[in-house]
C-alpha cells in the first residue's frame, strides 16, 4: 500500500526500539472554537458527533487528531491517510477489539485514552494499553467497588478514607489499561483479573502493568506484553499545536520531559491466589 507522506514530515521517522515506550500527553484545545476534524475518518467523525457536550466533543476530536499526528511521526504517512482500523480476529474472521494500523508494515502498536481535559497516547513495539483517569468522586468509588476483584476490594478497604479516591483511580487505570491491551475492554468482567498493589505476583502473567506520574488531577497507567523492563519517555505537546499546519514537524522535534524505567514483574513469582477465579460470570453462576 502506497500512502502519501505527511506534509512537513521529518526526513527520518522517529526511532522506537524493542524496549522503548513513548508516552505523549495531549492537552485539550486552547481555543473555544471547534478542534480541526478534517484529519479524522468517517467513523471518528461519527463518534465525535455522538457527544452531547461540546467540551467532550472537542476533547475527543483533539485527542484523535493528536493521535494521528503522533503516529505520522513514526510512520511518515499523512495523518488523514493513516489506515486506523480494528484488530483482526482469527476466530470470527472480523475486525474488532484494539485499534491498530492496518496493512502498514513496520507500524508501531499504540493506545489512546482521554479523560476530562487530558489525553494520553502510548506507542511501543508490543501489544499495549494505556488509560488516564481524572480523580473520581467518593460516590463513584463507592459505586464501583463491588465490581472489583475480591482481593482488590480488601486492599481499598484497608486504605485510609482520605486516600481511597487516589488509590481507586490508580487501580482502575491499571485495570483498564490491561483490559484495553487484551482487546476486550470492560466487556471482560472487572473482577476476573487482579491488578492490585499488595501482591504483584498475582497479576496476569506475561504483562507489565504500571502507573505513570502525571498531574495532581489525573492518574495514568500502561500495560505491555513482555516480561522485561521498559524504557519510558514522556513527551508533552502544547495545546496551540492542535491548530498548527506544521504540527507533525513540530511534534517530531519534541524531546522527552521525563525518562524512567518501568520494571517488569517477576514471572517466577507468579502464583494463583485463592481469591482469583478466572471463569466468567456466566460460568460462575452455573457452578453455583
Amino acid at each position: 500500500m502506497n500512502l502519501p507522506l505527511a506534509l512537513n514530515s521529518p526526513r527520518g521517522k522517529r526511532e522506537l526500539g524493542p524496549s522503548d515506550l513513548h508516552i505523549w500527553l495531549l492537552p485539550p484545545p486552547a481555543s473555544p472554537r471547534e478542534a480541526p476534524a478534517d484529519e479524522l475518518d468517517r467513523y471518528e467523525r461519527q463518534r465525535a458527533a455522538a457527544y452531547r457536550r461540546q467540551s467532550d466533543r472537542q476533547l475527543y476530536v483533539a485527542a484523535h487528531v493528536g493521535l494521528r499526528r503522533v503516529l505520522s511521526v513514526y510512520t511518515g504517512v499523512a495523518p488523514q491517510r493513516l489506515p486506523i482500523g480494528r484488530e483482526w480476529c482469527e476466530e470470527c474472521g472480523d475486525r474488532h477489539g484494539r485499534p491498530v494500523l492496518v496493512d502498514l508494515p513496520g507500524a508501531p502498536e499504540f493506545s489512546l485514552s482521554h479523560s476530562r481535559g487530558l489525553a494520553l497516547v502510548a506507542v511501543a513495539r508490543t501489544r499495549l494499553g494505556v488509560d488516564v483517569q481524572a480523580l473520581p468522586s467518593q460516590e463513584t468509588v463507592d459505586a464501583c467497588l463491588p465490581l472489583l476483584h475480591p482481593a482488590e476490594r480488601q486492599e481499598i478497604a484497608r486504605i485510609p478514607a482520605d486516600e481511597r479516591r487516589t488509590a481507586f483511580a490508580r487501580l482502575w487505570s491499571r485495570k483498564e489499561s490491561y483490559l484495553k491491551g487484551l482487546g476486550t475492554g470492560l466487556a471482560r468482567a472487572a473482577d476476573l483479573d487482579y491488578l492490585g498493589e499488595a501482591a504483584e505476583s498475582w497479576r496476569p502473567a506475561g504483562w507489565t502493568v504500571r502507573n505513570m506520574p502525571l498531574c495532581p488531577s489525573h492518574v495514568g497507567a500502561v500495560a505491555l506484553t513482555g516480561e522485561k523492563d521498559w524504557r519510558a519517555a514522556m513527551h508533552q505537546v502544547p495545546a496551540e499545536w492542535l491548530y498548527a499546519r506544521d504540527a507533525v514537524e513540530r511534534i517530531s522535534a519534541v524531546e522527552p520531559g521525563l525518562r524512567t524505567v518501568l520494571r517488569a514483574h517477576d514471572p517466577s513469582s507468579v502464583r494463583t491466589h485463592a481469591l482469583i477465579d478466572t471463569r466468567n460470570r456466566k460460568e460462575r453462576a452455573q457452578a453455583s
Side-chain angles (χ1 to χ4, degrees):
M1 177 182 294
N2 294 321
L3 297 174
L5 297 179
L7 295 175
N8 302 310
S9 62
R11 292 183 180 179
K13 302 173 187 176
R14 180 169 285 240
E15 295 296 324
L16 188 66
S19 297
D20 289 338
L21 167 66
H22 292 179
I23 302 291
W24 296 85
L25 283 72
L26 307 176
S31 169
R33 60 192 169 119
E34 288 289 341
D38 56 338
E39 294 177 5
L40 305 183
D41 62 24
R42 183 175 63 179
Y43 173 76
E44 290 167 319
R45 291 195 294 269
Q46 289 175 343
R47 287 288 304 274
Y51 284 95
R52 294 185 176 182
R53 294 192 299 182
Q54 180 184 9
S55 59
D56 293 337
R57 184 171 61 252
Q58 278 189 299
L59 180 58
Y60 177 91
V61 172
H64 284 257
V65 168
L67 167 67
R68 286 179 170 272
R69 291 177 175 180
V70 166
L71 293 178
S72 181
V73 171
Y74 294 92
T75 63
V77 177
Q80 66 272 22
R81 299 305 298 270
L82 281 166
I84 297 178
R86 291 288 174 171
E87 190 173 38
W88 182 263
C89 178
E90 295 183 357
E91 294 184 3
C92 69
D94 197 3
R95 289 191 180 275
H96 59 81
R98 296 184 313 130
V100 294
L101 287 167
V102 180
D103 298 329
L104 196 59
E109 302 278 351
F110 68 91
S111 183
L112 167 68
S113 179
H114 51 87
S115 175
R116 282 191 273 171
L118 184 63
L120 293 182
V121 173
V123 186
R125 291 289 179 192
T126 191
R127 189 183 192 95
L128 79 163
V130 73
D131 188 65
V132 60
Q133 297 282 331
L135 289 185
S137 65
Q138 187 58 51
E139 291 75 16
T140 298
V141 174
D142 294 339
C144 293
L145 277 176
L147 304 176
L148 299 179
H149 185 280
E152 295 169 342
R153 295 201 301 268
Q154 293 175 5
E155 291 177 24
I156 296 295
R158 289 196 291 263
I159 294 173
D162 60 345
E163 300 176 12
R164 286 178 190 166
R165 291 174 57 212
T166 299
F168 174 84
R170 286 172 56 84
L171 168 61
W172 194 261
S173 66
R174 292 193 301 272
K175 190 173 291 285
E176 283 225 38
S177 66
Y178 170 66
L179 294 178
K180 289 173 71 173
L182 285 181
T184 64
L186 290 174
R188 179 175 172 85
D191 62 351
L192 291 181
D193 307 289
Y194 173 85
L195 274 303
E197 292 186 295
E200 285 191 1
S201 63
W202 302 341
R203 291 186 183 180
W207 289 81
T208 298
V209 186
R210 296 294 186 196
N211 287 106
M212 301 173 297
L214 288 180
C215 55
S217 61
H218 290 74
V219 299
V222 62
L224 307 102
T225 54
E227 297 171 334
K228 60 180 179 180
D229 294 346
W230 295 91
R231 298 189 300 267
M234 302 187 71
H235 311 72
Q236 187 155 2
V237 177
E240 58 269 20
W241 290 8
L242 183 63
Y243 302 95
R245 295 180 61 85
D246 60 345
V248 174
E249 183 179 19
R250 295 190 187 194
I251 291 172
S252 70
V254 172
E255 294 294 329
L258 173 68
R259 295 182 185 271
T260 188
V261 175
L262 303 183
R263 299 295 180 186
H265 303 159
D266 182 3
S268 65
S269 68
V270 174
R271 58 187 176 84
T272 302
H273 182 260
L275 289 175
I276 292 181
D277 189 343
T278 58
R279 295 173 296 170
N280 63 39
R281 290 183 173 181
K282 182 178 180 180
E283 290 172 333
R284 291 203 303 268
Q286 292 174 342
S288 61

